[in-house]
Amino acid sequence: MNIVMTIGKILLCLVSVVVVIAVMMQKPKDAASGAAFGQGGSGASFANRMKSKSLDGRLDTIAKYGAVVVMVLSFALVLLTKTSA
């Protein structure tokens, strides 16, 4: 059981780092926060409609699924800790 806990903790750390990096690399969603960083706002264009195929869309998907994996792993590790004690 101790090996499973160790593997789970390592996996949780790695997925957490990936989620943080994916969130930090994304462009701001609204024009106000983009203006604060010197980026212009973007209107409704073909590029916005094809967002899921862009790097920003992929990062968004990675962040969403990664957050779910972090929650599930955290919950599983808590349950394993409670049952092993």
Side-chain angles (χ1 to χ4, degrees):
M1 187 62 87
N2 205 8
I3 295 173
V4 174
M5 293 284 290
T6 303
I7 291 172
K9 289 176 185 178
I10 291 170
L11 196 60
L12 180 63
C13 289
L14 291 174
V15 172
S16 298
V17 169
V18 169
V19 170
V20 168
I21 290 171
V23 169
M24 296 283 291
M25 288 180 61
Q26 289 180 13
K27 292 181 183 174
K29 300 291 181 202
D30 57 349
S33 61
F37 295 111
Q39 298 172 351
S42 59
S45 66
F46 180 73
N48 285 342
R49 286 183 266 142
M50 297 300 290
K51 182 183 173 198
S52 64
K53 298 198 186 293
S54 69
L55 177 64
D56 223 18
R58 289 183 187 145
L59 290 172
D60 190 40
T61 304
I62 290 170
K64 286 178 188 175
Y65 288 123
V68 171
V69 170
V70 166
M71 287 189 297
V72 169
L73 274 174
S74 299
F75 188 69
L77 285 173
V78 168
L79 287 178
L80 284 174
T81 304
K82 296 288 184 183
T83 58
S84 67

